[in-house]
Amino acid sequence: EVQLQASGGGLVQAGGSLRLSCAAPGFVFDDYAIAWYRQAPGKERERISCIESNKPGQYTTHYADSVKGRFTISSDDAKRTAYLQMNNLKPEDTAIYYCAAERSAPCDYPDYEFGSWGQGTQVTVSS
């Protein structure tokens, strides 16, 4: 299990933007996948985005329909950090956001259980 540190959450008005970071200094950024999840009060955890890299510098990204076109996932292998750029935020995006990572994990399966998780960062979008 690798330690992940999620940060960048906060309070923002609807229509605003935030960028979340997932720092993973002990994680090997080679043949890996990193995913972002969120969980709103009273709701189930939702995987909203995933990035996988099977070769250095090559990435495949996946998005849930709820965030497609508004959120962008990326990864900086050299900094060992993944990001989630969130634009045009809506009140329904309010949740605790978590990142998860694993070597050789598939993004193709939304129900896949990642082995390492960050502690979560709160995102609150006011109307």
Side-chain angles (χ1 to χ4, degrees):
E1 185 175 332
V2 176
Q3 284 195 334
L4 306 176
Q5 180 73 34
S7 63
L11 173 64
V12 64
Q13 289 187 333
S17 299
L18 285 173
R19 188 176 81 154
L20 305 184
S21 298
C22 177
F27 185 68
V28 178
F29 278 67
D30 177 39
D31 187 17
Y32 67 90
I34 294 177
W36 285 96
Y37 292 77
R38 68 185 181 187
Q39 188 164 21
K43 294 188 176 181
E44 292 187 354
R45 187 183 66 191
E46 174 190 20
R47 197 191 84 175
I48 55 173
S49 188
C50 187
I51 185 168
E52 59 183 325
S53 178
N54 301 120
K55 294 182 180 180
Q58 295 185 14
Y59 308 95
T60 302
T61 57
H62 302 252
Y63 299 94
D65 289 342
S66 57
V67 305
K68 197 173 294 182
R70 301 187 297 122
F71 292 10
T72 303
I73 191 171
S74 62
S75 181
D76 187 327
D77 295 351
K79 294 184 177 180
R80 301 193 178 189
T81 302
Y83 304 94
L84 186 68
Q85 178 67 43
M86 306 187 296
N87 297 329
N88 190 21
L89 283 161
K90 303 176 181 180
E92 51 264 42
D93 294 319
T94 295
I96 299 175
Y97 285 68
Y98 301 88
C99 60
E102 190 171 315
R103 298 285 308 282
S104 304
C107 282
D108 293 346
Y109 303 102
D111 293 334
Y112 182 84
E113 286 290 332
F114 281 76
S116 297
W117 289 78
Q119 85 290 358
T121 184
Q122 175 72 47
V123 172
T124 303
V125 184
S126 63
S127 57

